[in-house]
Structures are given as C-alpha cells and as structure tokens.
Amino acid sequence: ASDVYKRQLGRILTMKNFMEQNLETVDKHKMTIDELLFLQNLQEDLQKAEITCNGNDAIATYYVLKEQVRKYKPELAVVFNEEKAKEFKDNIKDTNTRVLSGMDGLIEAATLENADLVVNSVVGMVGLKPTLAAANAKKDIAFANKETLVTGGKLVCDAVKKNGVKLLPVDSEHSAIFQCLQGMPEKKMLKKLILTASGGPFFGKSVEDLKNVTVNEALNHPNWSMGAKITIDSATMMNKGLEIIEARWLFDVQPENIDVVVHRESIIHSLIEYVDNSVIAQLGLPDMRIPIQYAITYPERYESPVGELSLAQIGKMTFFEPDYDTFKCLRACKKALSLGGVATAIANGANEEANRLFREGKITFLEIGDLVMGAIDNIDNFEPLCVDDVLEADKLAREYVLSKL
C-alpha cells in the first residue's frame, strides 16, 4: 500500500459484519477504524473510511457505527440488516454519508472507484462475494476474514492473480508468516510454515473434562479479546484449523508443509522453516494493532503505540504439541483440507452453525467437533467451479447440523 501513501490517496474501505455476534464483538471490530488511525502521520494519509456493520442483535455496534460516521465522515456506511439500515440512515441524515444495506451494499462498498485498499474484517463466509468483487475491481485487500479463504480459497486466489492485486494478511499468525517471508530469496527455499496457537481456555483438558463446559467458560480466552464466535472457535481450536486452511491459500503451501505448535504465551505469532532447517519467527506483544498497521502500510513500517517486547520480562516461553484427539475440530479441518473440493466449505458451514447453537445453549461444547466431522464424512464432496457451488456446500452443511438437533 506504499504507493497509496505516495500518491496521498489513502482511501480505506473497512468492511465489518456483526452476524451472529453479541456485544463482545464491538471491541474487536471497532479497532479497525479507531486503532487503524492511531498515528498522526497515518491520519494525514488515510483521508476517508467507508465502514459497515450488521446491526443484528448487537445494539452497541449501532452506536459505535454512529460515532465512527460522525468522527471520520465516510462517504459510505453499510448496515447489513435492511431495517436497521433504514433506521440508521434517519439517525445520520444531518451528515453527507450514504447508507446502504445487505450484500449489495457490501459489494458496492468493496468496489467503490475511489478506494485503493479494502480492509475485510467480516465474520463468516458472508465475506466471500465482497472479496471477489473487490479483487475483480482491482482493489488491494487487507484480509482478516479467514472463512472466505477457507470456503472459496481457489476462487479468491485465482481472482487475485488474474487482477494483479495484493492479498495482505491481517490475522496475527498470517501476518507473522508474511513478515518472516519478506527475507526469503526464492520460494523453493521454504520448507514449512509453523502456526502458533494459544491453546485457548481448555489447554490440557481431556474429553471427560470438557463434557459439561459452559458458554461463559468457553468465552474466557487467556490472551486475546475477540468476538464471541471467534472466541468459541479458539476454545474448540477450530480457529487454528481454519488458519491452516487459510495459510495454504495465502502462501500457496501444501497442507503437509503446515504445522501447528501450542505456545501459551502468544509472544511468537508464527514461524517459517527453510530447507536448511533454519527457523525464522516473528515476535511481539499480543496486540492486533501491529498486524493491522503492517497490512495497511506495507511495505513501509511506522511507529506504533504497541509496547516494546521485553524478553527478560517474559522470562520463558513454552511449546506443546496440539491435542488432535480432544480437539476434534482441528483434526476435522486438516481432514477437510486433505480432501479438497468443497470439504473445507462444508467444515466451515457446519462449524458456523454448531458454534451458534452452542452459544444459544442448544448443543454441548463437544458436539461442535462431532457435528463438523460428521458433516465432512456424510456430505458428498465435489470440486467447486463457481461461488454458487461454495454456497450450496455451505447450505448442505448447515442443514446437516440442524438435522441432528
């Protein structure tokens, strides 16, 4: 995005979706606007922001969006829920910001002519169509919506390659790998990627220990503050499984060359290993402002408000093998990736539905993994040729989960 800064255009699209999220979602998604512009020199360059939200259930997000519109004066705001969009439009009628809704609104936001970079931080595969639209409109994409690559990775990567645009990772693990790869002379020198995982709130627990886990217990992440859906995904380790699939597409690496290690302290955000067995790691405090900033300013680096890392204060770092037996979601994702086709879309759709049902108290914690694996095993796999194929696989997966209630 350095050419954006040099040309002083600096228009940022921020896509935010709060589907199936509760009030805990607010802090995570508010960061992309409020913390994206934390430096004065960035504020001078990032002139406008188009911002979106869903508006479903999470009333606080509605007021956060109003605050952002009045503060940053974007040209466009999108509220996914149509009724909420009408209400929102009435509440900001004293501004010059246009208000749109639904998928059409997200796609228009992702393809505005005067936008150079799209920051996609939507939750779930709802981000697939806007991402493809942004790539086809020749927009660089800062990417924090892993479900889109999980479900439609080949479609997205083909569109990115065809249109010659950048796909810049925002998730901390993939940003870490991206940063480590900046020193790689040739791709043939890369041996493997190593994703770190915190282990979530249930690290070291057995299947027996997890039989009666409550939603509140699963939402108690040791290191990161995230939305409810993502926090549950971390507890089941589904999140790490999705990140394995995302890494396969982002970095064009075969599944067998992607490892996971549990690192409880969340100081090493990921690593790469070269063919000579030299390992390069990216370290830093667990703070999303660094990967967000790097994606926006790439390849430049700017000062950051994030604190300095003191290894002496950290004292020690620990590492463990993942427990694939207890955390079935992680195993399911690896299986889906090895199967190819729409298997990863099936895994994601089943998980999104099962995650929601768990948060609503309709299934147990362990049933999430059972349902994801069951969907992979019982739904016919096929090679997707278009977005509709991916959407069909997602639909079948959700129907499978609901049929098991």
PDB file of all heavy atoms in Angstrom, residues 156-187:
ATOM      1  N   VAL A 156     -10.837 -17.175  -4.797  1.00  0.00           N
ATOM      2  CA  VAL A 156     -10.269 -15.884  -4.406  1.00  0.00           C
ATOM      3  C   VAL A 156      -8.859 -15.722  -4.958  1.00  0.00           C
ATOM      4  O   VAL A 156      -8.512 -14.680  -5.538  1.00  0.00           O
ATOM      5  CB  VAL A 156     -10.265 -15.724  -2.874  1.00  0.00           C
ATOM      6  CG1 VAL A 156      -9.504 -14.469  -2.457  1.00  0.00           C
ATOM      7  CG2 VAL A 156     -11.691 -15.670  -2.340  1.00  0.00           C
ATOM      8  N   CYS A 157      -8.037 -16.745  -4.787  1.00  0.00           N
ATOM      9  CA  CYS A 157      -6.646 -16.636  -5.238  1.00  0.00           C
ATOM     10  C   CYS A 157      -6.566 -16.504  -6.755  1.00  0.00           C
ATOM     11  O   CYS A 157      -5.714 -15.786  -7.272  1.00  0.00           O
ATOM     12  CB  CYS A 157      -5.848 -17.841  -4.751  1.00  0.00           C
ATOM     13  SG  CYS A 157      -5.569 -17.823  -2.964  1.00  0.00           S
ATOM     14  N   ASP A 158      -7.454 -17.196  -7.467  1.00  0.00           N
ATOM     15  CA  ASP A 158      -7.495 -17.041  -8.932  1.00  0.00           C
ATOM     16  C   ASP A 158      -7.862 -15.601  -9.306  1.00  0.00           C
ATOM     17  O   ASP A 158      -7.276 -15.025 -10.232  1.00  0.00           O
ATOM     18  CB  ASP A 158      -8.505 -18.009  -9.540  1.00  0.00           C
ATOM     19  CG  ASP A 158      -8.006 -19.451  -9.552  1.00  0.00           C
ATOM     20  OD1 ASP A 158      -6.813 -19.663  -9.268  1.00  0.00           O
ATOM     21  OD2 ASP A 158      -8.826 -20.352  -9.824  1.00  0.00           O
ATOM     22  N   ALA A 159      -8.839 -15.016  -8.586  1.00  0.00           N
ATOM     23  CA  ALA A 159      -9.259 -13.638  -8.880  1.00  0.00           C
ATOM     24  C   ALA A 159      -8.149 -12.651  -8.554  1.00  0.00           C
ATOM     25  O   ALA A 159      -7.925 -11.683  -9.294  1.00  0.00           O
ATOM     26  CB  ALA A 159     -10.523 -13.299  -8.092  1.00  0.00           C
ATOM     27  N   VAL A 160      -7.447 -12.881  -7.446  1.00  0.00           N
ATOM     28  CA  VAL A 160      -6.340 -12.004  -7.054  1.00  0.00           C
ATOM     29  C   VAL A 160      -5.228 -12.053  -8.102  1.00  0.00           C
ATOM     30  O   VAL A 160      -4.691 -11.016  -8.523  1.00  0.00           O
ATOM     31  CB  VAL A 160      -5.806 -12.419  -5.663  1.00  0.00           C
ATOM     32  CG1 VAL A 160      -4.448 -11.786  -5.385  1.00  0.00           C
ATOM     33  CG2 VAL A 160      -6.807 -12.019  -4.573  1.00  0.00           C
ATOM     34  N   LYS A 161      -4.889 -13.262  -8.528  1.00  0.00           N
ATOM     35  CA  LYS A 161      -3.829 -13.417  -9.525  1.00  0.00           C
ATOM     36  C   LYS A 161      -4.227 -12.817 -10.863  1.00  0.00           C
ATOM     37  O   LYS A 161      -3.438 -12.114 -11.518  1.00  0.00           O
ATOM     38  CB  LYS A 161      -3.501 -14.903  -9.689  1.00  0.00           C
ATOM     39  CG  LYS A 161      -2.351 -15.180 -10.639  1.00  0.00           C
ATOM     40  CD  LYS A 161      -2.033 -16.672 -10.690  1.00  0.00           C
ATOM     41  CE  LYS A 161      -0.859 -16.945 -11.636  1.00  0.00           C
ATOM     42  NZ  LYS A 161      -0.541 -18.402 -11.684  1.00  0.00           N
ATOM     43  N   LYS A 162      -5.453 -13.070 -11.274  1.00  0.00           N
ATOM     44  CA  LYS A 162      -5.940 -12.564 -12.559  1.00  0.00           C
ATOM     45  C   LYS A 162      -5.909 -11.050 -12.619  1.00  0.00           C
ATOM     46  O   LYS A 162      -5.577 -10.459 -13.664  1.00  0.00           O
ATOM     47  CB  LYS A 162      -7.362 -13.064 -12.793  1.00  0.00           C
ATOM     48  CG  LYS A 162      -8.019 -12.523 -14.061  1.00  0.00           C
ATOM     49  CD  LYS A 162      -9.450 -13.004 -14.175  1.00  0.00           C
ATOM     50  CE  LYS A 162     -10.150 -12.397 -15.384  1.00  0.00           C
ATOM     51  NZ  LYS A 162     -11.570 -12.838 -15.470  1.00  0.00           N
ATOM     52  N   ASN A 163      -6.232 -10.399 -11.502  1.00  0.00           N
ATOM     53  CA  ASN A 163      -6.344  -8.939 -11.493  1.00  0.00           C
ATOM     54  C   ASN A 163      -5.090  -8.236 -10.986  1.00  0.00           C
ATOM     55  O   ASN A 163      -5.051  -7.008 -10.934  1.00  0.00           O
ATOM     56  CB  ASN A 163      -7.551  -8.525 -10.644  1.00  0.00           C
ATOM     57  CG  ASN A 163      -8.860  -8.900 -11.302  1.00  0.00           C
ATOM     58  OD1 ASN A 163      -9.303  -8.243 -12.240  1.00  0.00           O
ATOM     59  ND2 ASN A 163      -9.486  -9.973 -10.823  1.00  0.00           N
ATOM     60  N   GLY A 164      -4.082  -9.007 -10.614  1.00  0.00           N
ATOM     61  CA  GLY A 164      -2.812  -8.419 -10.206  1.00  0.00           C
ATOM     62  C   GLY A 164      -2.891  -7.568  -8.955  1.00  0.00           C
ATOM     63  O   GLY A 164      -2.203  -6.544  -8.846  1.00  0.00           O
ATOM     64  N   VAL A 165      -3.727  -7.980  -7.993  1.00  0.00           N
ATOM     65  CA  VAL A 165      -3.870  -7.214  -6.758  1.00  0.00           C
ATOM     66  C   VAL A 165      -3.177  -7.937  -5.606  1.00  0.00           C
ATOM     67  O   VAL A 165      -2.840  -9.121  -5.698  1.00  0.00           O
ATOM     68  CB  VAL A 165      -5.352  -6.962  -6.417  1.00  0.00           C
ATOM     69  CG1 VAL A 165      -6.002  -6.140  -7.511  1.00  0.00           C
ATOM     70  CG2 VAL A 165      -6.108  -8.271  -6.211  1.00  0.00           C
ATOM     71  N   LYS A 166      -2.989  -7.232  -4.504  1.00  0.00           N
ATOM     72  CA  LYS A 166      -2.339  -7.802  -3.323  1.00  0.00           C
ATOM     73  C   LYS A 166      -3.386  -8.342  -2.352  1.00  0.00           C
ATOM     74  O   LYS A 166      -4.450  -7.743  -2.176  1.00  0.00           O
ATOM     75  CB  LYS A 166      -1.489  -6.745  -2.606  1.00  0.00           C
ATOM     76  CG  LYS A 166      -0.370  -6.140  -3.419  1.00  0.00           C
ATOM     77  CD  LYS A 166       0.424  -5.165  -2.557  1.00  0.00           C
ATOM     78  CE  LYS A 166       1.510  -4.461  -3.368  1.00  0.00           C
ATOM     79  NZ  LYS A 166       0.941  -3.456  -4.283  1.00  0.00           N
ATOM     80  N   LEU A 167      -3.065  -9.457  -1.710  1.00  0.00           N
ATOM     81  CA  LEU A 167      -3.869 -10.009  -0.629  1.00  0.00           C
ATOM     82  C   LEU A 167      -2.988 -10.002   0.611  1.00  0.00           C
ATOM     83  O   LEU A 167      -2.090 -10.826   0.768  1.00  0.00           O
ATOM     84  CB  LEU A 167      -4.311 -11.435  -0.979  1.00  0.00           C
ATOM     85  CG  LEU A 167      -5.396 -12.073  -0.115  1.00  0.00           C
ATOM     86  CD1 LEU A 167      -6.678 -11.241  -0.143  1.00  0.00           C
ATOM     87  CD2 LEU A 167      -5.685 -13.490  -0.581  1.00  0.00           C
ATOM     88  N   LEU A 168      -3.213  -9.019   1.492  1.00  0.00           N
ATOM     89  CA  LEU A 168      -2.322  -8.754   2.619  1.00  0.00           C
ATOM     90  C   LEU A 168      -2.948  -9.268   3.922  1.00  0.00           C
ATOM     91  O   LEU A 168      -4.026  -8.827   4.302  1.00  0.00           O
ATOM     92  CB  LEU A 168      -2.051  -7.247   2.725  1.00  0.00           C
ATOM     93  CG  LEU A 168      -1.452  -6.618   1.467  1.00  0.00           C
ATOM     94  CD1 LEU A 168      -1.598  -5.106   1.513  1.00  0.00           C
ATOM     95  CD2 LEU A 168       0.007  -7.016   1.332  1.00  0.00           C
ATOM     96  N   PRO A 169      -2.299 -10.210   4.605  1.00  0.00           N
ATOM     97  CA  PRO A 169      -2.901 -10.804   5.800  1.00  0.00           C
ATOM     98  C   PRO A 169      -2.927  -9.862   6.993  1.00  0.00           C
ATOM     99  O   PRO A 169      -1.974  -9.124   7.242  1.00  0.00           O
ATOM    100  CB  PRO A 169      -1.998 -12.009   6.084  1.00  0.00           C
ATOM    101  CG  PRO A 169      -0.684 -11.658   5.475  1.00  0.00           C
ATOM    102  CD  PRO A 169      -0.993 -10.808   4.282  1.00  0.00           C
ATOM    103  N   VAL A 170      -4.040  -9.909   7.730  1.00  0.00           N
ATOM    104  CA  VAL A 170      -4.205  -9.106   8.938  1.00  0.00           C
ATOM    105  C   VAL A 170      -4.184  -9.977  10.188  1.00  0.00           C
ATOM    106  O   VAL A 170      -3.704  -9.544  11.242  1.00  0.00           O
ATOM    107  CB  VAL A 170      -5.511  -8.281   8.884  1.00  0.00           C
ATOM    108  CG1 VAL A 170      -5.812  -7.609  10.214  1.00  0.00           C
ATOM    109  CG2 VAL A 170      -5.422  -7.229   7.780  1.00  0.00           C
ATOM    110  N   ASP A 171      -4.678 -11.224  10.116  1.00  0.00           N
ATOM    111  CA  ASP A 171      -4.609 -12.108  11.282  1.00  0.00           C
ATOM    112  C   ASP A 171      -3.173 -12.177  11.780  1.00  0.00           C
ATOM    113  O   ASP A 171      -2.229 -12.229  10.988  1.00  0.00           O
ATOM    114  CB  ASP A 171      -5.087 -13.514  10.907  1.00  0.00           C
ATOM    115  CG  ASP A 171      -6.599 -13.627  10.868  1.00  0.00           C
ATOM    116  OD1 ASP A 171      -7.270 -12.754  11.442  1.00  0.00           O
ATOM    117  OD2 ASP A 171      -7.113 -14.583  10.263  1.00  0.00           O
ATOM    118  N   SER A 172      -3.008 -12.214  13.098  1.00  0.00           N
ATOM    119  CA  SER A 172      -1.663 -12.114  13.671  1.00  0.00           C
ATOM    120  C   SER A 172      -0.739 -13.226  13.188  1.00  0.00           C
ATOM    121  O   SER A 172       0.439 -12.994  12.902  1.00  0.00           O
ATOM    122  CB  SER A 172      -1.734 -12.111  15.201  1.00  0.00           C
ATOM    123  OG  SER A 172      -2.340 -13.294  15.684  1.00  0.00           O
ATOM    124  N   GLU A 173      -1.263 -14.461  13.085  1.00  0.00           N
ATOM    125  CA  GLU A 173      -0.416 -15.582  12.674  1.00  0.00           C
ATOM    126  C   GLU A 173       0.025 -15.449  11.218  1.00  0.00           C
ATOM    127  O   GLU A 173       1.198 -15.667  10.892  1.00  0.00           O
ATOM    128  CB  GLU A 173      -1.169 -16.905  12.870  1.00  0.00           C
ATOM    129  CG  GLU A 173      -1.508 -17.237  14.312  1.00  0.00           C
ATOM    130  CD  GLU A 173      -2.798 -16.580  14.782  1.00  0.00           C
ATOM    131  OE1 GLU A 173      -3.399 -15.812  13.990  1.00  0.00           O
ATOM    132  OE2 GLU A 173      -3.204 -16.829  15.929  1.00  0.00           O
ATOM    133  N   HIS A 174      -0.905 -15.085  10.359  1.00  0.00           N
ATOM    134  CA  HIS A 174      -0.567 -14.987   8.946  1.00  0.00           C
ATOM    135  C   HIS A 174       0.256 -13.737   8.648  1.00  0.00           C
ATOM    136  O   HIS A 174       1.105 -13.751   7.748  1.00  0.00           O
ATOM    137  CB  HIS A 174      -1.842 -15.030   8.111  1.00  0.00           C
ATOM    138  CG  HIS A 174      -2.613 -16.294   8.329  1.00  0.00           C
ATOM    139  ND1 HIS A 174      -3.584 -16.390   9.295  1.00  0.00           N
ATOM    140  CD2 HIS A 174      -2.521 -17.512   7.752  1.00  0.00           C
ATOM    141  CE1 HIS A 174      -4.075 -17.633   9.282  1.00  0.00           C
ATOM    142  NE2 HIS A 174      -3.449 -18.320   8.362  1.00  0.00           N
ATOM    143  N   SER A 175       0.015 -12.686   9.412  1.00  0.00           N
ATOM    144  CA  SER A 175       0.885 -11.510   9.300  1.00  0.00           C
ATOM    145  C   SER A 175       2.310 -11.865   9.709  1.00  0.00           C
ATOM    146  O   SER A 175       3.273 -11.428   9.087  1.00  0.00           O
ATOM    147  CB  SER A 175       0.360 -10.364  10.176  1.00  0.00           C
ATOM    148  OG  SER A 175       1.265  -9.271  10.162  1.00  0.00           O
ATOM    149  N   ALA A 176       2.426 -12.672  10.756  1.00  0.00           N
ATOM    150  CA  ALA A 176       3.753 -13.090  11.220  1.00  0.00           C
ATOM    151  C   ALA A 176       4.488 -13.863  10.129  1.00  0.00           C
ATOM    152  O   ALA A 176       5.671 -13.616   9.848  1.00  0.00           O
ATOM    153  CB  ALA A 176       3.618 -13.943  12.477  1.00  0.00           C
ATOM    154  N   ILE A 177       3.796 -14.810   9.498  1.00  0.00           N
ATOM    155  CA  ILE A 177       4.411 -15.570   8.409  1.00  0.00           C
ATOM    156  C   ILE A 177       4.767 -14.645   7.248  1.00  0.00           C
ATOM    157  O   ILE A 177       5.868 -14.719   6.682  1.00  0.00           O
ATOM    158  CB  ILE A 177       3.455 -16.684   7.935  1.00  0.00           C
ATOM    159  CG1 ILE A 177       3.343 -17.761   9.022  1.00  0.00           C
ATOM    160  CG2 ILE A 177       3.929 -17.301   6.618  1.00  0.00           C
ATOM    161  CD1 ILE A 177       2.269 -18.784   8.764  1.00  0.00           C
ATOM    162  N   PHE A 178       3.853 -13.760   6.898  1.00  0.00           N
ATOM    163  CA  PHE A 178       4.086 -12.809   5.820  1.00  0.00           C
ATOM    164  C   PHE A 178       5.330 -11.966   6.099  1.00  0.00           C
ATOM    165  O   PHE A 178       6.159 -11.737   5.203  1.00  0.00           O
ATOM    166  CB  PHE A 178       2.858 -11.922   5.669  1.00  0.00           C
ATOM    167  CG  PHE A 178       2.929 -10.938   4.542  1.00  0.00           C
ATOM    168  CD1 PHE A 178       2.998 -11.366   3.230  1.00  0.00           C
ATOM    169  CD2 PHE A 178       2.904  -9.577   4.790  1.00  0.00           C
ATOM    170  CE1 PHE A 178       3.058 -10.459   2.183  1.00  0.00           C
ATOM    171  CE2 PHE A 178       2.957  -8.660   3.755  1.00  0.00           C
ATOM    172  CZ  PHE A 178       3.036  -9.100   2.448  1.00  0.00           C
ATOM    173  N   GLN A 179       5.487 -11.520   7.341  1.00  0.00           N
ATOM    174  CA  GLN A 179       6.662 -10.724   7.705  1.00  0.00           C
ATOM    175  C   GLN A 179       7.939 -11.559   7.622  1.00  0.00           C
ATOM    176  O   GLN A 179       8.966 -11.090   7.134  1.00  0.00           O
ATOM    177  CB  GLN A 179       6.491 -10.138   9.106  1.00  0.00           C
ATOM    178  CG  GLN A 179       5.393  -9.091   9.187  1.00  0.00           C
ATOM    179  CD  GLN A 179       5.220  -8.528  10.576  1.00  0.00           C
ATOM    180  OE1 GLN A 179       6.154  -7.952  11.138  1.00  0.00           O
ATOM    181  NE2 GLN A 179       4.030  -8.677  11.148  1.00  0.00           N
ATOM    182  N   CYS A 180       7.873 -12.808   8.094  1.00  0.00           N
ATOM    183  CA  CYS A 180       9.050 -13.676   8.022  1.00  0.00           C
ATOM    184  C   CYS A 180       9.459 -13.957   6.577  1.00  0.00           C
ATOM    185  O   CYS A 180      10.651 -14.064   6.263  1.00  0.00           O
ATOM    186  CB  CYS A 180       8.769 -14.999   8.734  1.00  0.00           C
ATOM    187  SG  CYS A 180       8.599 -14.890  10.532  1.00  0.00           S
ATOM    188  N   LEU A 181       8.486 -14.065   5.701  1.00  0.00           N
ATOM    189  CA  LEU A 181       8.772 -14.393   4.305  1.00  0.00           C
ATOM    190  C   LEU A 181       9.403 -13.247   3.532  1.00  0.00           C
ATOM    191  O   LEU A 181       9.906 -13.453   2.416  1.00  0.00           O
ATOM    192  CB  LEU A 181       7.480 -14.809   3.596  1.00  0.00           C
ATOM    193  CG  LEU A 181       6.907 -16.174   3.992  1.00  0.00           C
ATOM    194  CD1 LEU A 181       5.542 -16.376   3.351  1.00  0.00           C
ATOM    195  CD2 LEU A 181       7.856 -17.301   3.606  1.00  0.00           C
ATOM    196  N   GLN A 182       9.396 -12.043   4.102  1.00  0.00           N
ATOM    197  CA  GLN A 182       9.970 -10.900   3.384  1.00  0.00           C
ATOM    198  C   GLN A 182      11.456 -11.085   3.118  1.00  0.00           C
ATOM    199  O   GLN A 182      12.009 -10.483   2.195  1.00  0.00           O
ATOM    200  CB  GLN A 182       9.732  -9.602   4.166  1.00  0.00           C
ATOM    201  CG  GLN A 182       8.267  -9.237   4.353  1.00  0.00           C
ATOM    202  CD  GLN A 182       7.468  -9.286   3.065  1.00  0.00           C
ATOM    203  OE1 GLN A 182       7.794  -8.601   2.101  1.00  0.00           O
ATOM    204  NE2 GLN A 182       6.427 -10.105   3.044  1.00  0.00           N
ATOM    205  N   GLY A 183      12.121 -11.922   3.889  1.00  0.00           N
ATOM    206  CA  GLY A 183      13.550 -12.144   3.685  1.00  0.00           C
ATOM    207  C   GLY A 183      13.868 -13.383   2.868  1.00  0.00           C
ATOM    208  O   GLY A 183      15.038 -13.764   2.759  1.00  0.00           O
ATOM    209  N   MET A 184      12.863 -14.021   2.285  1.00  0.00           N
ATOM    210  CA  MET A 184      13.090 -15.265   1.545  1.00  0.00           C
ATOM    211  C   MET A 184      13.514 -14.977   0.103  1.00  0.00           C
ATOM    212  O   MET A 184      12.764 -14.364  -0.647  1.00  0.00           O
ATOM    213  CB  MET A 184      11.814 -16.108   1.543  1.00  0.00           C
ATOM    214  CG  MET A 184      11.981 -17.447   0.839  1.00  0.00           C
ATOM    215  SD  MET A 184      10.499 -18.488   0.963  1.00  0.00           S
ATOM    216  CE  MET A 184       9.328 -17.515  -0.009  1.00  0.00           C
ATOM    217  N   PRO A 185      14.706 -15.421  -0.296  1.00  0.00           N
ATOM    218  CA  PRO A 185      15.176 -15.141  -1.660  1.00  0.00           C
ATOM    219  C   PRO A 185      14.334 -15.827  -2.733  1.00  0.00           C
ATOM    220  O   PRO A 185      13.970 -15.227  -3.729  1.00  0.00           O
ATOM    221  CB  PRO A 185      16.610 -15.682  -1.659  1.00  0.00           C
ATOM    222  CG  PRO A 185      16.975 -15.813  -0.214  1.00  0.00           C
ATOM    223  CD  PRO A 185      15.712 -16.113   0.512  1.00  0.00           C
ATOM    224  N   GLU A 186      14.040 -17.118  -2.552  1.00  0.00           N
ATOM    225  CA  GLU A 186      13.264 -17.877  -3.524  1.00  0.00           C
ATOM    226  C   GLU A 186      12.326 -18.812  -2.781  1.00  0.00           C
ATOM    227  O   GLU A 186      12.677 -19.364  -1.729  1.00  0.00           O
ATOM    228  CB  GLU A 186      14.174 -18.703  -4.431  1.00  0.00           C
ATOM    229  CG  GLU A 186      15.105 -17.906  -5.308  1.00  0.00           C
ATOM    230  CD  GLU A 186      15.961 -18.814  -6.167  1.00  0.00           C
ATOM    231  OE1 GLU A 186      15.405 -19.501  -7.044  1.00  0.00           O
ATOM    232  OE2 GLU A 186      17.187 -18.859  -5.935  1.00  0.00           O
ATOM    233  N   LYS A 187      11.137 -19.045  -3.340  1.00  0.00           N
ATOM    234  CA  LYS A 187      10.152 -19.870  -2.658  1.00  0.00           C
ATOM    235  C   LYS A 187      10.625 -21.308  -2.468  1.00  0.00           C
ATOM    236  O   LYS A 187      10.248 -21.977  -1.499  1.00  0.00           O
ATOM    237  CB  LYS A 187       8.830 -19.855  -3.421  1.00  0.00           C
ATOM    238  CG  LYS A 187       7.728 -20.554  -2.650  1.00  0.00           C
ATOM    239  CD  LYS A 187       6.405 -20.503  -3.332  1.00  0.00           C
ATOM    240  CE  LYS A 187       5.381 -21.272  -2.521  1.00  0.00           C
ATOM    241  NZ  LYS A 187       4.065 -21.310  -3.155  1.00  0.00           N
TER     242      LYS A 187
END
